């Protein structure tokens, strides 16, 4: 298996430290509001990676954290006049539900910072004791000049980093690039007792502390969105490496690309922020998942209505092929094709893997021998499982309502089709055609096959 490592800038052979326990940490959401479609991309991408890794290494341990201490959470809680736990429990639950609707399996651990404060404080204490961090005005700061490799992941040097920083430098910092490990809380703000007084951790330290607590000092894979490379991941490396006496923190760094909407960056000011929760009301989760996997994970994705409708048609094709094989029992012990697996093991090349899957669907439509059908069905289902697709019955796929675009519900369609059966039985061909045309006008396509009528949303 090969993975592109951001740290080296090249595709490398993936060799885990311990093949019996492959460790992966992915930065999860800050739970103060609904997740947008950009937040869903790493959840889906790393879910596929976890599935592919598990084939080869059954002992994968996948951690994706929940950030439940953050100033945006504090602001949301203050606005509603509730404890931060009310906000974080609500949006963490919604996040898990929404990701499940996209076929994302829960990671092995979903730790929260509030559950790992002793470890977080202990790590900061170690950094202070070893001279990599210092206390100033109730804050504890990481001293970036104390770590020679700072900037290596993002490929920026310290001078360039500082030249790019437009923020005003706090007077208590020894160096402009130093970042917060712990900060004081006012009486109104949530806070926890620490050797430096009542306060709360900065964002970066939580991932270092939770990765250590659940996975150990050196992990195999660390993932996240491209926007986390600097400063978040750069800071995680500095903290963990210095807290562990120079040991390597993460061996492979993987980052997914950006997601734009109609060629524009999502932003509140443009008003084009797509929340997964809202999207799911009109687009099936499987369609969203397929859009997110249609491009290679490192490339940017442009989310448009066209790609959504394309993805829907692609799933119609795949489920259509499986529907033809509805009565065929998948051949036992047959897994996805070598070409399909090779594509995914080549730095998670999902576009190529999907091309293989469509090739199988074409072969399925042409197959006539029973054992060919059984083999192809098994190959398609197994490939689908690795991608987190095609896991429902084709009839369930074709029956799901397409959303709020005025199309009739499945019940209404079935009722009209029953009338059409009667009409045909009575040789009322004009009535039969009228019902078919009415459905077509309302976005439902009816096909007459040897097994009777079939329908799908256009
Ligand atoms: Zn993180």
């Amino acid at each position: 298996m090969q993975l592109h490592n951001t740290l080296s800038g090249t595709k490398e052979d993936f060799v885990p430290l311990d093949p019996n326990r492959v460790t992966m940490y992915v930065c999860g959401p800050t739970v103060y509001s609904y997740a947008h479609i950009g937040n869903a991309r790493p959840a889906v991408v790393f879910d596929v990676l976890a599935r592919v890794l598990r084939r080869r290494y059954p002992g994968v341990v996948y951690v994706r954290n929940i950030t439940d201490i953050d100033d945006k959470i504090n602001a949301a809680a203050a606005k509603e006049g509730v404890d931060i736990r009310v906000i974080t429990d609500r949006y963490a639950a919604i996040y898990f539900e929404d990701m499940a609707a996209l076929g994302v399996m829960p990671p092995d651990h979903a730790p929260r910072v509030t559950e790992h404060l002793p470890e977080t404080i202990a790590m900061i204490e170690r950094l202070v004791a070893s001279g990599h961090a210092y206390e100033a005005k109730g804050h504890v700061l990481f001293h970036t000049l104390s770590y020679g490799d700072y900037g290596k992941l993002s490929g920026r040097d310290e001078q360039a980093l500082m030249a790019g920083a437009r923020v005003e430098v706090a007077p208590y910092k020894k160096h402009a690039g130093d970042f917060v490990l712990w900060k004081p809380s006012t009486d109104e703000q949530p806070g926890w007792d620490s050797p430096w007084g009542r306060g709360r951790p900065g964002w970066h330290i939580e991932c270092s502390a939770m990765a250590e607590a659940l996975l150990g000092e050196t992990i195999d894979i660390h993932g996240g969105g491209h926007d986390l490379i600097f400063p978040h991941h750069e800071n995680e490396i500095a903290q963990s490496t210095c807290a562990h006496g120079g040991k390597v923190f993460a061996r492979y760094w993987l980052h997914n690309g950006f997601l734009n909407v109609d060629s524009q960056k999502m932003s509140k000011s443009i008003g084009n922020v797509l929340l997964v929760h809202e999207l799911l009301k009109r687009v099936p989760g499987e369609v969203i998942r397929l859009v997110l996997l249609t491009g290679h994970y490192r490339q940017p994705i442009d989310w448009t209505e066209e790609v959504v409708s394309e993805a829907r048609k692609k799933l119609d094709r795949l489920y259509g092929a499986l529907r033809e094989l509805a009565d065929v029992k998948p051949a036992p012990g047959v897994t996805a094709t070598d070409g399909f697996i090779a594509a995914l093991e080549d730095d998670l090349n999902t576009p190529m893997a999907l091309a293989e899957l469509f090739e199988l669907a074409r072969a399925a439509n042409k197959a006539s021998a029973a054992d060919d059908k059984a083999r192809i069905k098994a190959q398609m289902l197994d490939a689908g499982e690795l991608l987190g697709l095609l896991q429902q019955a084709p009839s369930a796929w074709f029956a799901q309502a397409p959303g709020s675009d005025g199309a009739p519900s499945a019940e209404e369609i079935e009722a009209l089709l029953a009338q059409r059966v009667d009409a045909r039985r009575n040789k009322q061909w004009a009535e039969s055609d009228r019902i078919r045309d009415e459905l077509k006008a309302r976005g439902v396509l009816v096909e007459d096959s040897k097994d009777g009528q079939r329908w799908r949303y256009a």
Side-chain angles (χ1 to χ4, degrees), residues 314-431:
K314 284 176 184 167
L315 284 165
D316 278 346
R317 267 161 62 199
L318 295 172
Y319 275 116
L322 286 172
R323 184 169 59 181
E324 293 301 321
L325 303 176
D327 301 328
V328 175
K329 206 167 161 282
V334 171
T335 53
T337 59
D338 291 348
F340 180 88
I341 302 279
L344 288 183
E345 292 199 339
D346 178 11
D347 193 30
L348 220 59
N349 192 335
T350 53
M352 194 177 279
L354 284 165
E356 288 275 329
L357 187 52
F358 283 107
E359 200 52 57
L360 280 174
R362 270 189 291 278
N365 294 336
K366 276 190 237 152
S368 51
D371 54 347
D372 284 342
K373 290 183 178 180
R375 174 183 48 82
I376 294 170
K377 185 171 182 180
Q379 289 170 328
M380 282 188 74
L381 290 176
D382 189 54
E385 190 181 315
L386 277 163
L387 291 173
L389 300 170
L390 306 181
Q391 299 305 294
Q392 55 183 324
S395 55
W397 164 260
F398 286 107
Q400 65 191 332
S404 54
D405 53 3
S409 68
E411 288 91 345
E412 195 182 339
I413 296 166
E414 294 293 345
L416 283 166
L417 290 182
Q419 286 176 28
R420 188 162 175 264
V421 169
D422 286 343
R424 291 169 76 83
R425 197 179 292 132
N426 298 328
K427 299 197 169 20
Q428 295 167 343
W429 307 116
E431 174 64 1

Side-chain angles (χ1 to χ4, degrees), residues 25-28 65 203-204 206-208 222-223 228 232-233 236:
Y25 186 99
V26 174
C27 297
N65 70 300
W203 171 37
H204 314 301
E206 70 176 66
C207 289
S208 287
H222 195 314
L228 297 185
H232 185 56
H233 288 165
E236 281 188 37

Side-chain angles (χ1 to χ4, degrees), residues 260-265 272 274 301-306:
N260 291 323
V261 173
D262 298 325
S263 309
Q264 282 182 306
K265 194 172 185 273
N272 64 346
L274 290 179
I301 286 184
D302 191 20
W303 183 280
T304 63
E305 280 306 316
E306 287 77 34

Side-chain angles (χ1 to χ4, degrees), residues 281-283 305 312 400-409 441-444 457-458:
K281 290 176 186 164
R282 57 183 185 86
V283 183
E305 280 306 316
R312 204 191 274 268
Q400 65 191 332
S404 54
D405 53 3
S409 68
R442 296 174 68 192
V444 179
Y457 291 112

Side-chain angles (χ1 to χ4, degrees), residues 250-322:
R251 303 172 59 241
Y252 300 86
W253 284 88
L254 270 66
H255 294 98
N256 64 270
F258 294 115
L259 184 146
N260 291 323
V261 173
D262 298 325
S263 309
Q264 282 182 306
K265 194 172 185 273
M266 262 189 290
S267 84
K268 275 193 183 146
S269 56
I270 302 177
N272 64 346
V273 178
L274 290 179
L275 302 178
V276 179
H277 204 69
E278 294 303 316
L279 215 45
L280 280 169
K281 290 176 186 164
R282 57 183 185 86
V283 183
E286 196 167 354
V287 173
I288 299 175
R289 184 176 180 102
L290 180 56
V291 173
L292 296 177
L293 296 177
T294 295
H296 187 263
Y297 79 91
R298 295 180 56 222
Q299 300 303 319
I301 286 184
D302 191 20
W303 183 280
T304 63
E305 280 306 316
E306 287 77 34
V307 298
V308 173
S309 109
E310 273 304 306
R312 204 191 274 268
K313 284 181 200 142
K314 284 176 184 167
L315 284 165
D316 278 346
R317 267 161 62 199
L318 295 172
Y319 275 116
L322 286 172

